[in-house]
Amino acid sequence: MDERTPLLNNHPQFSISTINHRRTRGENDFQTPVRPVSGKVNTAPQDDNNAEVINSETFNNIRRDVEGHHAVQPKNVHIEQGHILKVGFQSLDYEISDNQIYQNEEKEKSFKRWKLYWRGVKRWIICFLIGVFTGLTAGFIDFGVEKISEVKFQTVKIWVDKCVLDNCMYLPQILWFLINMGLVLVGSFLTTYFEPVSAGSGIPQIKCYLNGVIVPHVVRFKTLVIKVIGVLSAVAGGLAVGKEGPMIHSGAVIAAGISQGRTTSLGWDFKIFQEFRSDTEKRDFVSAGAAAGVAAAFGAPVGGVLFSLEEGASFWNQSLVWRIFFASIISTMTLNIVQGLIKGHPMDFSYPGLINFGTFDDVRYEFYELFIVICLGAIGGLLGALFNHINLKLTVFRMKYVQRKWQKVLETMMVAMYTAAFAYIIIFYKNDCKPIENDAETTLVQFFCQDGQYSSTARLFFDTPEATVKHLFHNVPGTYQVVTLTIFASGYFLLACWTYGLSIPSGLFIPSLLIGAAWGRIAGILLSGLPGLEKVNLSFYSLVGASSMLGGIVRMTISLTVIIMEATSNVPLGFPVMLSLIVAKWVGDQFNEGIYDLHIHLQGVPILGWEPLPLSSNLSAKTVMSHPVIVFRMKEPVERIVKILKEEEHNGFPVVEDYDPDHPEMVDGCQTFGTFKGLILRSHLITMLKKKLFLENPEINKIVNNLKMSEFNESYPRYTGIQRISISPEEKHYTMDLAPFINQSHFVVLETASYSSIFRKFRSLGLRHMVVINFRNQVIGIVTRKDLARFMTECKNGEISIQEIPIIH
């Protein structure tokens, strides 16, 4: 698989290029698809590549041909459905290779306690640095957006004030278009041509990474740079996006870079923190970085910790929680200091996050209003489900027809133009004039209003999105008319749907809050017209509407509740917020999944949920496992090792005894592959070949005794390929002893085990492989992430059944 291929947000069309006649095991192997969940047959060409849509009947025909050893080779096959799996995704190696070399190192460490303490101290130092640099990055983004937006709006405002008198209103409109499109062009061009994985919020990618799936380039320094520039361009360019979501991705990238002590993008290696160069350690620090990003975005350190737990962390313990919370606190404090310096108040610690919801101290609610909150939560769930459905259809359309890079840039600029046009038209035709009460306000635009008045409609657009959210929360009753808010909420809803998924960094939190705050305020205004409800608090309903809309789109509950509580600094509001989020999630889940999960499944990522599927206990290990298995013996010829590594892309191989590849043994009608002794990783085999660890080497015992595990991780995360290993014709006839290098504690499961028990072990332990054995301890199969992820439940006519998901290239 080419690491340069973007795996999320900007995928090429789905296609099947090869189909095997057997289901072989491995991280990158194609597995015969059983049938898709849905689809339509359409033999007419769909694009220039003569692709066709395929349905269940066509897939079953393919399978019959494949099993009959007459493989069908369709040129390109589109799958019109939300759930597929792609072959190219691989898993992270969370499991520690418990081999003889590792055990010897651990015994040595037990005699030097100070090394263990120093290792723990360094973890805290790394978390401190993660918090500091995440806070600094957030401060830079916020400062950049504020300054660019200020220059843009002041320039347009000057021309608006001039052209109202000179009757040339088309000039500020053109100027607005050009500024927005120019800014967006910069961000989209960099994203599309240099690092496509930086597009979007980055939350789906980080969620996949924390779940255990490798997403190439997702935590690269180049990704961070383009992410920051792209966010500045997108937000300042007026797109319906926010900078809070991308901060989560930025924090994760910062954490990955600091914890490894180097950047592969720039080729810099500071030779520090080398002992943390493994998937296990890197995952924990990325969790801390994601939490620090949330803390910086919302000023919510506790919410950041819960977000990292709720949205992706595949492993959790008490010490990790402490370090993640520490990183979040440091990130918040760093941003506080930076914001205070920028705003000229160095000792004022009242700027904890990029967004400030304002003060809700005077907000009160009655018991009966909780029933209204439930209704608003249901509305948020329905609108969120509609938003996700529309965005899903748009994403599928982009995958089919918007594939070339210039097309992606052009679409982004079109959206920027339409966004500016929407704002200008609504201001022009719905110019709500309100008296100016605070002359210090710099974003007030007079437009066609009388002297001493300003356009409240223009204020919705002549400010940063975060400031607009605050205005919708706290502006006094009468500031906005129902018609104005309805047009704004409806138009922004469609613009946000269109924007999310463009080839530019873009967050979804702020657009969701804006839409929800607008229709929540509408609900409050309408309720205030009813007898006995004249004194309803509009701030309360705006906040409930915002939380309902956000919950209906992203389907988070615990972390969002805490984030909003911390952002509002109001604990009593926690209950109605939580109630609205729960109801929004329940209602939305009846129609589809959250926006991040939909995009993950649409990209074919084999992500694993928290719990196994219903009815999955009916599936046994024999049904789930991949078979046959490629194994190595304890002592293996170099020629066979090199041949297998070149022909196969598997990342783990069972090591066995009593196995003859030329004379396979059958037990109870199932082929076996020898007695299981352990598992060896591909990277370890390549390192052994690179270091010439052959039995024919007279100093082999001395070399093995002096080996360190760090030598096997020198090239992490870009391990040397087998093609770059030079093996002479004479060395091919040598032999290697794999015994000192195999993971002797690798997890196995009996062939009678159920899917649910395998899933729980796999998910909770963060495994990449699980070997299946029979009652004689003989290897009969292996389970990987795709073997578990390829099953899903389907509900039809009220009945739930388990189906297999097609796996494609």
Side-chain angles (χ1 to χ4, degrees):
M1 182 186 66
D2 187 355
E3 264 199 343
R4 295 170 294 179
T5 303
L7 296 181
L8 291 173
N9 293 302
N10 299 291
H11 256 264
Q13 64 191 23
F14 297 134
S15 63
I16 296 179
S17 57
T18 58
I19 299 181
N20 295 339
H21 69 274
R22 62 178 182 173
R23 181 159 64 86
T24 56
R25 73 100 184 153
E27 289 288 314
N28 291 321
D29 289 344
F30 177 83
Q31 302 178 26
T32 306
V34 175
R35 74 177 187 90
V37 178
S38 63
K40 297 180 180 179
V41 178
N42 184 0
T43 57
Q46 298 296 310
D47 56 21
D48 295 338
N49 295 320
N50 295 323
E52 61 180 3
V53 180
I54 188 169
N55 75 343
S56 305
E57 181 182 359
T58 310
F59 240 125
N60 289 332
N61 290 337
I62 290 175
R63 190 188 183 196
R64 284 193 294 271
D65 289 336
V66 169
E67 291 172 348
H69 301 279
H70 298 288
V72 178
Q73 301 288 342
K75 185 174 182 180
N76 260 323
V77 182
H78 279 303
I79 310 265
E80 282 196 338
Q81 61 177 40
H83 287 73
I84 60 169
L85 291 180
K86 298 199 76 177
V87 175
F89 288 102
Q90 300 185 42
S91 301
L92 294 166
D93 282 316
Y94 287 166
E95 186 182 6
I96 296 175
S97 185
D98 188 16
N99 54 31
Q100 182 180 322
I101 299 172
Y102 173 79
Q103 291 175 356
N104 292 339
E105 281 192 18
E106 291 300 303
K107 289 176 183 178
E108 181 183 350
K109 288 178 184 177
S110 64
F111 295 101
K112 298 178 181 179
R113 292 185 61 186
W114 68 270
K115 286 188 175 182
L116 295 178
Y117 286 122
W118 177 235
R119 185 183 179 92
V121 169
K122 283 193 284 188
R123 286 195 176 98
W124 286 92
I125 292 174
I126 291 173
C127 288
F128 175 81
L129 295 175
I130 290 171
V132 169
F133 282 97
T134 302
L136 291 173
T137 303
F140 174 78
I141 291 175
D142 189 59
F143 178 76
V145 170
E146 290 280 352
K147 291 303 178 183
I148 296 173
S149 299
E150 181 181 345
V151 172
K152 181 184 77 170
F153 289 132
Q154 287 298 326
T155 304
V156 176
K157 179 183 175 182
I158 292 172
W159 279 94
V160 167
D161 293 340
K162 179 181 178 181
C163 286
V164 166
L165 300 176
D166 297 342
N167 196 24
C168 57
M169 291 300 291
Y170 63 91
L171 290 178
Q173 181 180 9
I174 294 174
L175 180 63
W176 199 348
F177 283 1
L178 293 177
I179 294 175
N180 280 6
M181 293 174 67
L183 289 169
V184 168
L185 173 62
V186 174
S188 182
F189 180 83
L190 291 175
T191 301
T192 305
Y193 284 89
F194 292 95
E195 199 55 87
V197 78
S198 63
S201 66
I203 295 177
Q205 292 95 322
I206 297 303
K207 186 173 181 179
C208 293
Y209 186 90
L210 294 179
N211 192 264
V213 181
I214 296 174
V215 181
H217 295 195
V218 71
V219 289
R220 295 279 178 84
F221 178 76
K222 184 170 69 172
T223 303
L224 173 64
V225 173
I226 294 179
K227 195 87 177 181
V228 171
I229 298 174
V231 167
L232 289 172
S233 302
V235 178
L239 291 178
V241 300
K243 54 182 180 285
E244 285 67 27
M247 267 310 305
I248 299 170
H249 189 184
S250 300
V253 178
I254 291 169
I258 291 176
S259 65
Q260 303 304 291
R262 66 179 178 184
T263 166
T264 54
S265 297
L266 300 177
W268 296 347
D269 191 342
F270 299 99
K271 304 297 182 182
I272 57 175
F273 308 137
Q274 291 173 315
E275 63 267 45
F276 301 124
R277 293 178 182 178
S278 67
D279 287 340
T280 307
E281 297 287 352
K282 193 174 180 180
R283 167 205 59 193
D284 292 345
F285 291 119
V286 169
S287 299
V294 175
F298 297 97
V302 178
V305 175
L306 292 176
F307 175 88
S308 187
L309 170 63
E310 183 179 9
E311 279 303 294
S314 55
F315 185 75
W316 207 250
N317 58 45
Q318 188 177 20
S319 60
L320 179 60
V321 172
W322 268 112
R323 292 197 299 272
I324 290 177
F325 183 63
F326 176 70
S328 300
I329 287 288
I330 295 299
S331 176
T332 304
M333 292 303 299
T334 302
L335 181 59
N336 244 315
I337 296 171
V338 172
Q339 294 278 64
L341 291 172
I342 291 174
K343 295 182 179 356
H345 305 286
M347 300 306 293
D348 186 358
F349 294 95
S350 59
Y351 308 101
L354 296 181
I355 182 172
N356 182 6
F357 287 168
T359 303
F360 286 80
D361 293 339
D362 298 330
V363 176
R364 300 288 185 271
Y365 59 92
E366 302 291 337
F367 178 78
Y368 70 87
E369 290 182 283
L370 294 178
F371 296 99
I372 303 176
V373 168
I374 294 174
C375 296
L376 294 180
I379 294 173
L382 291 172
L383 291 176
L386 177 63
F387 184 100
N388 295 352
H389 178 75
I390 296 174
N391 185 263
L392 179 66
K393 296 299 182 182
L394 280 171
T395 305
V396 172
F397 178 85
R398 286 189 181 111
M399 290 177 172
K400 289 181 178 179
Y401 304 111
V402 187
Q403 299 180 25
R404 294 180 174 85
K405 292 181 178 180
W406 66 267
Q407 292 175 330
K408 296 175 182 179
V409 175
L410 180 61
E411 185 197 12
T412 308
M413 294 181 65
M414 285 176 56
V415 176
M417 183 184 68
Y418 279 111
T419 304
F422 167 73
Y424 201 83
I425 290 171
I426 188 176
I427 294 171
F428 192 87
Y429 288 101
K430 190 60 181 169
N431 193 35
D432 290 344
C433 297
K434 305 296 178 187
I436 298 176
E437 298 178 356
N438 185 2
D439 294 336
E441 292 282 357
T442 59
T443 58
L444 301 181
V445 182
Q446 184 176 356
F447 225 77
F448 290 111
C449 297
Q450 301 295 326
D451 292 340
Q453 294 183 330
Y454 73 96
S455 171
S456 63
T457 306
R459 196 178 188 187
L460 291 172
F461 300 98
F462 273 71
D463 217 331
T464 61
E466 289 79 9
T468 304
V469 170
K470 190 175 178 180
H471 297 329
L472 289 171
F473 281 162
H474 297 291
N475 278 1
V476 296
T479 303
Y480 305 107
Q481 296 181 7
V482 172
V483 176
T484 303
L485 291 174
T486 302
I487 297 173
F488 173 79
S490 303
Y492 215 82
F493 180 94
L494 296 175
L495 285 173
C497 267
W498 191 6
T499 304
Y500 190 75
L502 292 175
S503 185
I504 194 169
S506 55
L508 197 56
F509 282 91
I510 291 301
S512 303
L513 292 173
L514 272 172
I515 299 165
W519 68 255
R521 194 175 182 90
I522 293 172
I525 294 173
L526 295 178
L527 287 170
S528 65
L530 299 178
L533 298 177
E534 294 84 0
K535 295 184 179 180
V536 298
N537 195 304
L538 296 185
S539 296
F540 174 74
Y541 287 102
S542 293
L543 181 64
V544 171
S547 60
S548 301
M549 191 69 210
L550 185 56
I553 292 175
V554 302
R555 310 287 165 80
M556 293 186 294
T557 51
I558 301 174
S559 57
L560 270 187
T561 301
V562 176
I563 287 171
I564 294 175
M565 284 176 59
E566 290 185 277
T568 57
S569 302
N570 193 313
V571 175
L573 287 177
F575 182 70
V577 168
M578 180 188 69
L579 191 61
S580 65
L581 286 171
I582 290 175
V583 173
K585 176 176 170 56
W586 284 348
V587 172
D589 284 345
Q590 305 308 310
F591 300 94
N592 49 38
E593 298 176 283
I595 188 71
Y596 302 137
D597 292 321
L598 285 175
H599 277 257
I600 289 171
H601 293 313
L602 194 61
Q603 307 306 330
V605 182
I607 194 169
L608 300 180
W610 286 105
E611 298 293 335
L613 301 173
L615 306 178
S616 59
S617 296
N618 298 331
L619 300 175
S620 66
K622 272 192 170 182
T623 306
V624 175
M625 71 183 187
S626 292
H627 178 91
V629 185
I630 297 174
V631 301
F632 289 118
R633 292 160 293 189
M634 294 291 282
K635 293 184 179 181
E636 196 70 63
V638 173
E639 185 176 13
R640 182 171 184 263
I641 293 176
V642 173
K643 181 175 182 294
I644 290 177
L645 292 179
K646 286 184 176 180
E647 293 178 352
E648 307 291 344
E649 296 183 354
H650 312 323
N651 288 277
F653 301 88
V655 180
V656 299
E657 284 184 340
D658 306 322
Y659 173 68
D660 184 356
D662 299 323
H663 299 87
E665 181 180 356
M666 303 291 292
V667 176
D668 296 330
C670 180
Q671 182 182 353
T672 63
F673 301 90
T675 305
F676 180 73
K677 305 301 289 185
L679 185 132
I680 191 164
L681 297 178
R682 179 188 188 88
S683 59
H684 289 186
L685 286 169
I686 292 177
T687 302
M688 292 167 63
L689 292 170
K690 186 178 179 180
K691 293 183 176 294
K692 312 293 184 182
L693 302 181
F694 309 135
L695 287 178
E696 288 74 9
N697 188 335
E699 298 185 356
I700 181 63
N701 292 330
K702 180 180 178 181
I703 296 174
V704 171
N705 290 334
N706 293 328
L707 276 176
K708 301 295 182 183
M709 285 302 297
S710 59
E711 298 181 53
F712 289 88
N713 295 325
E714 286 177 344
S715 303
Y716 176 84
R718 299 183 183 180
Y719 291 112
T720 305
I722 185 62
Q723 292 78 10
R724 299 176 61 184
I725 302 298
S726 177
I727 301 294
S728 67
E730 181 182 359
E731 290 172 338
K732 288 184 178 180
H733 301 289
Y734 290 171
T735 304
M736 287 203 304
D737 184 6
L738 306 184
F741 308 97
I742 63 174
N743 182 0
Q744 305 170 52
S745 304
H746 186 73
F747 292 92
V748 297
V749 64
L750 286 172
E751 59 183 329
T752 54
S754 66
Y755 174 98
S756 57
S757 65
I758 297 173
F759 184 95
R760 290 189 180 95
K761 293 184 180 71
F762 210 93
R763 182 69 171 85
S764 60
L765 297 173
L767 301 180
R768 185 171 188 173
H769 320 87
M770 181 176 284
V771 178
V772 181
I773 60 173
N774 59 18
F775 289 98
R776 299 183 182 181
N777 201 37
Q778 295 173 317
V779 176
I780 63 171
I782 195 167
V783 177
T784 63
R785 174 177 290 269
K786 292 188 186 70
D787 294 317
L788 297 175
R790 66 190 172 90
F791 292 95
M792 67 170 291
T793 55
E794 182 185 52
C795 184
K796 195 172 184 179
N797 299 325
E799 295 184 358
I800 298 178
S801 60
I802 295 180
Q803 307 292 343
E804 286 188 54
I805 303 173
I807 302 180
I808 66 177
H809 283 276

